Amino acid sequence: MATGKITIIQENTASGGITGVERTTLYIGTGGASAITDVVHTIGAQTDLDAILGDEDSTLKTQIEAAALNAGPNFTAWVIALDSLTWDAAVEFALDAANDIYPEKVAITDAITTGTEVDALQAAAVAAANTFGKYITMHAACPGIDAVNQTWADYMAATKAINNGKACDRVALIPQLHGNNLGVVLGRLDSDAVSIADTPMRVRTGSVIGLGAAPVDSADQPLTMAHLSELSDARFSVPGWYTEFDGIYWSDHMLLDAAGGDFQVYENMRVMDYITRRVRVLMIRKIADRSLNSSKSSTAYHEEFFMEPIRTAAKGTTINGEPKPGLVKPPEKGDITITWETTTAVQLAILAAPVDCPKKITTRIALDLTRLGA
């Protein structure tokens, strides 16, 4: 070789992470008469909602105001006020690459009333993953009670008929008992005060904020915890309270998964989607990369490579001596397997274990009458 040469190749190791989409929601519904409609608006805690959603009262604006109040100063969302678009067309429009948004959740603020609409919500979430590679969940308002014409028994029967027999694991239904229940719970879920693995049932972070007036039925009977428990058992997301304990809190945020399914509560689906988004990017980067092969050294390396999102999700911290867990338990040996089906097709199997959460606490207290004297 007559002259010396050097070559520098900058390797991309895919270790930079991806932009987080968690704690964001796309709100879709009917705004005021002067709303700017059928476009995607980016909003935050300081946004003048009257300027984009109209200065008239609307359920859409009411839910967003409640969400911002409960989410805190870092509230970030998108909104589409409907005119010519239907809600399902608005979802597709918003998720299209031209708008370049990726919400974690979609909120439908105009109340749904039929099982057919529940099926459509599930179909929209599945289509978002299949068409756009975006993993979302759908959170829809259901009607509150008609205080003039419905007793609580009438209301329970009508409401439970909406999701009866449905297995839609990406759909949550929130009865508008207080007028702004949908916004309140989504804001509570989007708060930076807790992780995405936390249930809105948590008490430690305080009561919900700004929940509307408590309803009564046509017989002037008030809403009780018995009514709320019945709705929660029927897979609706509702508030709740504790006797002789100040404040109003929440129940589990229920999804319409089938009995025995892993995703009957939202925090399980939320953590799964968090991991899925990150593993998907790693998988794409490995397409036609011959460093992923069936050799022992490659298998050992890529078990660690694809397990990185689980390790990241499992990172916890300690505050004032109290351990705060990560989103999942730390991975163990055997939580990932790599199987080659052919020389060009490989299959991954990854396990992630959620952290325990005390939703029912039982204490037995007894007297000890054997300690005599002293």
Side-chain angles (χ1 to χ4, degrees):
M1 182 177 291
T3 60
K5 295 182 180 180
I6 65 169
T7 300
I8 298 176
I9 300 174
Q10 295 182 324
E11 293 283 355
N12 189 330
T13 61
S15 58
I18 69 169
T19 301
V21 306
E22 291 73 29
R23 296 186 177 88
T24 59
T25 303
L26 167 64
Y27 291 87
I28 298 174
T30 304
S34 58
I36 302 172
T37 58
D38 294 345
V39 296
V40 179
H41 301 280
T42 302
I43 58 175
Q46 286 75 45
T47 298
D48 180 2
L49 295 178
D50 287 351
I52 59 175
L53 301 182
D55 54 10
E56 308 87 356
D57 290 338
S58 69
T59 301
L60 177 59
K61 188 163 63 174
T62 296
Q63 305 313 316
I64 293 173
E65 288 171 342
L69 193 61
N70 283 272
N74 294 325
F75 172 72
T76 300
W78 298 276
V79 60
I80 299 177
L82 298 176
D83 182 17
S84 62
L85 291 174
T86 59
W87 71 257
D88 50 342
V91 172
E92 186 173 348
F93 167 72
L95 298 184
D96 187 84
N99 286 298
D100 195 29
I101 72 168
Y102 190 163
E104 180 189 32
K105 303 176 294 300
V106 174
I108 307 301
T109 65
D110 296 334
I112 69 161
T113 59
T114 67
T116 300
E117 292 171 291
V118 174
D119 291 334
L121 291 165
Q122 177 75 4
V126 172
N130 293 344
T131 305
F132 303 109
K134 296 179 178 180
Y135 295 84
I136 62 172
T137 45
M138 308 294 293
H139 306 255
C142 294
I145 191 168
D146 180 346
V148 175
N149 299 306
Q150 285 182 312
T151 64
W152 284 114
D154 296 334
Y155 176 74
M156 292 295 172
T159 302
K160 289 192 287 186
I162 297 172
N163 69 4
N164 184 42
K166 297 301 178 183
C168 299
D169 61 3
R170 289 191 170 271
V171 177
L173 301 181
I174 303 91
Q176 296 300 88
L177 292 164
H178 300 78
N180 61 355
N181 299 62
L182 174 63
V184 167
V185 68
L186 292 186
R188 192 165 175 85
L189 289 166
D190 287 342
S191 172
D192 285 333
V194 292
S195 78
I196 63 168
D198 283 292
T199 169
M201 187 188 290
R202 64 187 185 271
V203 172
R204 182 169 182 167
T205 53
S207 173
V208 300
I209 305 171
L211 189 65
V216 295
D217 71 356
S218 59
D220 206 33
Q221 294 300 304
L223 176 69
T224 69
M225 275 305 302
H227 300 132
L228 294 171
S229 295
E230 184 176 349
L231 287 170
S232 181
D233 290 344
R235 303 185 296 171
F236 292 90
S237 179
V238 293
W241 57 83
Y242 301 90
T243 305
E244 298 299 316
F245 192 86
D246 292 336
I248 297 178
Y249 301 89
W250 211 264
S251 65
D252 266 328
H253 195 57
M254 307 299 295
L255 296 178
L256 303 184
D257 195 5
D262 291 340
F263 305 115
Q264 297 179 67
V265 291
Y266 178 48
E267 63 264 26
N268 284 358
M269 178 65 79
R270 205 176 189 191
V271 170
M272 177 65 77
D273 282 350
Y274 172 94
I275 294 169
T276 299
R277 294 181 190 109
R278 287 152 178 81
V279 171
R280 178 178 180 271
V281 172
L282 297 182
M283 291 170 63
I284 292 172
R285 297 194 68 93
K286 284 295 174 178
I287 290 293
D289 180 355
R290 293 174 63 249
S291 71
L292 174 56
N293 56 64
S294 59
S295 67
K296 289 184 178 180
S297 59
S298 176
T299 299
Y301 172 81
H302 285 95
E303 285 177 350
E304 294 296 310
F305 178 80
F306 287 113
M307 190 56 77
E308 180 58 31
I310 311 294
R311 287 196 297 270
T312 299
K315 290 180 180 177
T317 187
T318 300
I319 300 177
N320 198 28
E322 181 180 6
K324 303 289 186 180
L327 305 182
V328 294
K329 294 179 180 179
E332 299 178 355
K333 185 175 178 58
D335 281 353
I336 181 171
T337 57
I338 300 176
T339 304
W340 283 88
E341 299 174 341
T342 69
T343 57
T344 58
V346 62
Q347 185 175 105
L348 308 178
I350 302 176
L351 293 176
V355 177
D356 308 326
C357 181
K359 297 180 180 180
K360 178 181 178 181
I361 301 176
T362 301
T363 301
R364 300 180 185 275
I365 303 175
L367 294 174
D368 183 355
L369 301 180
T370 64
R371 301 184 188 181
L372 303 179

